[in-house]
Amino acid sequence: MENPQHPPDSPGARPRRSHGRATLADVATHAGVTPMTVSRMLREPDRVAPETAQRIRQAIDDTGYSPNKQAGGLASGRSAIVAAIIPSVANSVFAETIQGLSDALQPAGLELFLAPNDYKLEREEDQLKTLLGWGPAAIAVTGRRHSPVALALMRQAKRAGTPVIQMWDLDARDTEFLQIGFNHHLVGVAMGEHLLACGYRDLAYVDSGVAEDFRAHERGQGLAQAARLAGAALQVLVAPPCEPMAAGRLALLKLMQQRLPRALAFANDHLAAGACLQALELGLALPDQLALLGYGDFPISQQLGRGISTMAAPRYQIGLATGQSILLALGRPLAEDQQVLDHGSLVPTLVVRNTTVAGAGINPANVAEGSSRD
Amino acid sequence: MENPQHPPDSPGARPRRSHGRATLADVATHAGVTPMTVSRMLREPDRVAPETAQRIRQAIDDTGYSPNKQAGGLASGRSAIVAAIIPSVANSVFAETIQGLSDALQPAGLELFLAPNDYKLEREEDQLKTLLGWGPAAIAVTGRRHSPVALALMRQAKRAGTPVIQMWDLDARDTEFLQIGFNHHLVGVAMGEHLLACGYRDLAYVDSGVAEDFRAHERGQGLAQAARLAGAALQVLVAPPCEPMAAGRLALLKLMQQRLPRALAFANDHLAAGACLQALELGLALPDQLALLGYGDFPISQQLGRGISTMAAPRYQIGLATGQSILLALGRPLAEDQQVLDHGSLVPTLVVRNTTVAGAGINPANVAEGSSRD
DNA sequence: ATGAAAGCGCTAACAT
DNA sequence: ATGTTAGCGCTTTCAT
């Protein structure tokens, strides 16, 4: 039971506490010390006498105390929040990035604030404004394209000493913010070069149906550049805005109505998988009649047919590396068991399977990695 | 530039502000009013004179002010945070749930704190403790199994008036916390009954390789009960702890080494998809020689072969409904454009495709829903 | 319609 | 090794 005191004479003595939670002061009373000692014990245990520490620990247990992080953050000017703006969680690409980020941050006691913007660049402004209101320890955004206002907010945060990280893209000439990712144009070029090296001279790129998936567009442009330089034909098709595998099927059907190119590159593996299924069902021989090249190296690419060739994108690693960069920028130690990721390892690598090179297919039944949880 | 004042005589006048951000007071000065008026204008715009409001808006723009949420939360005792503990983000099931949660909460101005626990029940305690330190407006956890300490924390939160929601499971006899989900035992029974109704009397359940995926185990038990009541044979196999599609393949191969049952049910569609691919590659006729039944209704089930039969799980809807319940419990209005989900719609439904009933297969090429973004 | 005072729970800086 | 004081930026309550 609380101890309702008589209101003193002075006009402004209005107790306001409403929640029932124990505070530092409660613990202090319980342990017979001042709040300051408890606070110290929590943050610098070495600076309190062992015996006092013991009493305080006891009091903490007795009262069920857990620190009020808002109060702590306000007082210290620091906050243990990392804010991340991503296009969508319901997309294995970013879901795994989030998981990596979380895995890096949680051991360090940093909380993750998530703001999916559904690929709407415009929403980023609001999200940044709101997130900045928490005085985050760091901010991670997706990509390098931002509205002028969003950019101004990011600059303001940077000036205030908050690390700002752009994930999933990289332009070495731009050093304004930290970047954890890779150059999508170059990946597109690499995709093109692989197809050209296989001898395919009549190419198509199937872009995702998402207008603001800039990185996919850039890969397409890289591919186009490679084709142009080699004098090969390239047409670009935008997949219909439906479920990705279905979209891949439809894209293939559409191309066949006109004239099927020799090789298709896709904005992602789901599109490629759909096209692969459709091709197999139509009796097309892969890669003899039609070559397919995906992007992402999602599990399905390993399983379908004799394996879909693809560019492996370091989904989880980008999240982990982002988290590590944040800890580094904040001068915090990484968790002991964490290897520091070499940023060179964040470059996608070509995974040649059977849809571009005959006989390159792996035996999927023997592949076992990851985990089957659901 | 700041205006470094001379330290007054009194010993304790130590300015501490370190960040450069504008505060309510700055805006007030700028607008020639007191902080109180600005605060009021932000929360109850009707209570300030239109002309004053205009001046304040101007001042807010000029200063680039954004409210400090920690201070606001501390002062008001409320916080605009919803904390969610989930097994993993890198799993389309929970990723879509998160997306639904976020879609419900963002319009209401609530932030989402994410804590993936990697299917480790033990970590939930720490996560709850930390999250409670933020004085969240509500807490969402996954499932109904908790350690005693975690349970105690949840009860404490509930007593303090914080809505606590258990997602993805449901037991009508237990009314301690809000539950948004369904009974997995019954889903398992329904899966069994479908297989039995198809005339299959020799069944197997392939569980996921994740020890703490209790809901999958429960579905298996429901299936077992249905089989028992019908006098049908059932064996349970635990999939190897590897990438789910590969695990599905391996599970099928393992079963074939012994004696292949007539029908297989799986803990999730990825396992089923792996088995489906393996079966097709081995030339097994589906469903004539072997029937397969998945769980989840992931996109791949629609695409593979002539469609994999499955139980459709309302992944996104559970998140959305959780968000809506939270808003409701907090007495906040839902976003205008949001339909209130009927909780009856959260029950999985059987989707009969070609792996259990011959000729039931859809034509996947005609199916187009969702979005192909990546 | 606006303002003054106090306090939310904690920590930094300065004592002792 | 521990305590004292003031203040983080905001909202609440009461007053004008």
Side-chain angles (χ1 to χ4, degrees):
Chain A
M1 268 297 167
E2 292 293 317
N3 188 9
Q5 314 233 333
H6 291 207
D9 296 342
S10 61
R14 302 176 271 289
R16 292 218 261 129
R17 188 193 294 183
S18 54
H19 62 81
R21 300 181 44 215
T23 70
L24 251 197
D26 297 331
V27 177
T29 310
H30 215 84
V33 293
T34 56
M36 196 56 234
T37 309
V38 180
S39 171
R40 207 172 265 131
M41 143 84 201
L42 255 27
R43 286 170 302 116
E44 307 161 281
D46 297 344
R47 289 189 48 192
V48 306
E51 191 206 308
T52 316
Q54 183 48 43
R55 277 214 321 281
I56 295 179
R57 265 190 293 273
Q58 183 64 47
I60 289 180
D61 281 352
D62 290 353
T63 54
Y65 170 76
S66 79
N68 180 327
K69 307 253 190 167
Q70 310 212 64
L74 181 58
S76 67
R78 285 184 282 278
S79 94
I81 294 177
V82 171
I85 301 182
I86 43 148
S88 155
V89 228
N91 175 320
S92 70
V93 171
F94 301 109
E96 289 188 40
T97 301
I98 296 299
Q99 186 79 39
L101 200 64
S102 173
D103 287 351
L105 297 180
Q106 269 212 9
L110 293 175
E111 317 285 335
L112 190 56
F113 252 157
L114 255 204
N117 63 12
D118 228 2
Y119 284 92
K120 302 272 195 323
L121 215 54
E122 16 153 332
R123 287 191 55 193
E124 199 177 53
E125 291 182 17
D126 287 333
Q127 293 178 315
L128 275 170
K129 245 179 223 153
T130 313
L131 293 174
L132 286 172
W134 290 97
I139 299 175
V141 301
T142 306
R144 305 194 329 103
R145 301 247 203 157
H146 313 280
S147 73
V149 176
L151 201 57
L153 290 168
M154 289 165 58
R155 290 195 173 119
Q156 179 191 322
K158 187 190 169 188
R159 271 198 308 276
T162 307
V164 177
I165 303 195
Q166 293 170 319
M167 300 185 291
W168 277 104
D169 204 346
L170 184 67
D171 182 338
R173 293 162 304 183
D174 181 352
T175 57
E176 179 161 22
F177 304 108
L178 293 170
Q179 298 175 70
I180 305 281
F182 51 85
N183 185 311
H184 289 255
H185 188 89
L186 290 182
V187 167
V189 170
M191 290 172 73
E193 286 177 346
H194 173 57
L195 294 177
L196 292 165
C198 292
Y200 311 129
R201 314 274 311 163
D202 179 15
L203 315 179
Y205 180 66
V206 180
D207 201 351
S208 76
V210 181
E212 304 209 21
D213 188 354
F214 303 113
R215 293 169 294 286
H217 308 334
E218 281 169 21
R219 294 193 293 275
Q221 283 155 17
L223 185 63
Q225 180 185 309
R228 201 179 325 115
L229 285 179
L234 175 88
Q235 56 177 306
V236 172
L237 180 75
V238 175
C242 63
E243 196 279 314
M245 291 185 73
R249 284 180 180 272
L250 294 172
L252 179 60
L253 293 172
K254 179 112 182 258
L255 284 168
M256 291 182 72
Q257 283 174 3
Q258 303 153 24
R259 176 193 48 81
L260 193 61
R262 180 66 186 83
L264 307 181
F266 296 84
N268 65 64
D269 275 3
H270 292 311
L271 292 170
C276 176
L277 284 170
Q278 187 68 60
L280 292 174
E281 284 169 22
L282 293 173
L284 287 170
L286 306 176
D288 296 336
Q289 292 179 269
L290 177 69
L292 304 176
L293 178 59
Y295 163 86
D297 196 18
F298 301 153
I300 196 171
S301 298
Q302 223 167 82
Q303 300 291 337
L304 237 46
R306 294 180 28 81
I308 299 176
S309 296
T310 190
M311 296 293 303
R315 307 186 283 282
Y316 178 85
Q317 286 86 340
I318 284 185
L320 199 63
T322 300
Q324 294 182 341
S325 297
I326 288 172
L327 295 179
L328 220 67
L330 296 177
R332 298 213 192 195
L334 302 187
E336 292 154 17
D337 57 337
Q338 277 184 18
Q339 292 276 338
V340 178
L341 275 185
D342 170 21
H343 290 195
S345 71
L346 298 180
V347 177
T349 52
L350 182 67
V351 180
V352 180
R353 299 204 183 100
N354 224 55
T355 54
T356 53
V357 174
I362 53 171
N363 180 347
N366 291 333
V367 175
E369 54 183 40
S371 172
S372 68
R373 57 194 56 176
D374 255 298
Chain B
M1 267 297 169
E2 290 293 315
N3 187 11
Q5 316 235 329
H6 290 208
D9 296 342
S10 61
R14 304 175 270 286
R16 293 217 258 129
R17 189 194 294 184
S18 53
H19 63 81
R21 300 183 41 215
T23 70
L24 205 57
D26 297 331
V27 177
T29 311
H30 214 85
V33 294
T34 55
M36 197 51 240
T37 308
V38 180
S39 170
R40 206 172 268 131
M41 142 86 201
L42 255 26
R43 286 169 302 116
E44 308 159 281
D46 297 343
R47 288 189 49 193
V48 305
E51 190 206 310
T52 318
Q54 183 47 44
R55 279 215 318 284
I56 293 179
R57 264 191 294 273
Q58 183 62 49
I60 288 180
D61 281 352
D62 291 352
T63 54
Y65 170 75
S66 78
N68 181 326
K69 308 254 190 166
Q70 309 211 67
L74 181 58
S76 69
R78 286 183 282 279
S79 94
I81 294 176
V82 170
I85 301 182
I86 42 148
S88 153
V89 229
N91 175 319
S92 70
V93 171
F94 301 109
E96 290 189 40
T97 301
I98 296 298
Q99 185 78 40
L101 241 182
S102 174
D103 287 352
L105 297 179
Q106 268 211 8
L110 293 175
E111 317 284 335
L112 191 55
F113 251 157
L114 255 205
N117 62 12
D118 229 3
Y119 284 93
K120 303 271 195 323
L121 214 54
E122 16 153 331
R123 287 191 55 192
E124 198 178 54
E125 289 179 18
D126 287 332
Q127 293 178 315
L128 275 170
K129 245 180 224 151
T130 313
L131 293 174
L132 286 173
W134 289 97
I139 299 176
V141 300
T142 306
R144 307 194 329 105
R145 302 246 202 156
H146 313 280
S147 73
V149 176
L151 201 57
L153 290 168
M154 288 165 58
R155 289 194 173 120
Q156 179 192 322
K158 187 190 169 188
R159 271 197 309 274
T162 308
V164 177
I165 301 194
Q166 293 169 320
M167 299 185 291
W168 276 104
D169 205 347
L170 184 66
D171 182 338
R173 293 162 304 183
D174 181 352
T175 57
E176 180 160 22
F177 304 108
L178 292 170
Q179 298 174 71
I180 305 281
F182 51 85
N183 185 311
H184 289 256
H185 188 89
L186 290 182
V187 168
V189 170
M191 290 173 73
E193 285 176 348
H194 173 58
L195 294 176
L196 293 164
C198 292
Y200 311 128
R201 314 274 311 163
D202 179 14
L203 316 179
Y205 180 67
V206 180
D207 201 352
S208 76
V210 181
E212 303 208 20
D213 187 353
F214 303 115
R215 292 169 294 286
H217 308 335
E218 281 168 22
R219 294 193 293 275
Q221 283 154 17
L223 185 63
Q225 180 185 310
R228 202 179 325 114
L229 285 179
L234 175 88
Q235 58 178 305
V236 172
L237 181 74
V238 175
C242 62
E243 196 280 312
M245 291 185 72
R249 285 180 181 273
L250 294 172
L252 178 61
L253 293 172
K254 179 111 181 262
L255 284 168
M256 291 182 72
Q257 284 173 4
Q258 302 153 24
R259 176 192 49 79
L260 193 62
R262 180 65 186 82
L264 307 182
F266 295 84
N268 65 64
D269 275 3
H270 292 311
L271 292 171
C276 176
L277 284 170
Q278 188 67 61
L280 292 174
E281 285 168 22
L282 294 173
L284 287 170
L286 305 177
D288 297 336
Q289 291 178 270
L290 178 69
L292 304 177
L293 178 59
Y295 163 86
D297 197 18
F298 301 153
I300 194 169
S301 299
Q302 222 167 84
Q303 300 290 337
L304 238 45
R306 294 181 26 85
I308 299 176
S309 297
T310 189
M311 296 293 303
R315 308 186 282 283
Y316 178 84
Q317 286 86 341
I318 284 185
L320 199 63
T322 300
Q324 293 182 342
S325 299
I326 288 172
L327 294 178
L328 220 67
L330 296 176
R332 297 212 192 197
L334 302 188
E336 292 152 18
D337 57 338
Q338 276 183 20
Q339 292 276 338
V340 178
L341 275 184
D342 169 21
H343 288 197
S345 70
L346 298 181
V347 177
T349 51
L350 182 65
V351 180
V352 180
R353 298 204 184 100
N354 225 55
T355 55
T356 54
V357 174
I362 52 170
N363 182 347
N366 291 333
V367 175
E369 55 183 41
S371 171
S372 68
R373 56 194 58 176
D374 254 298

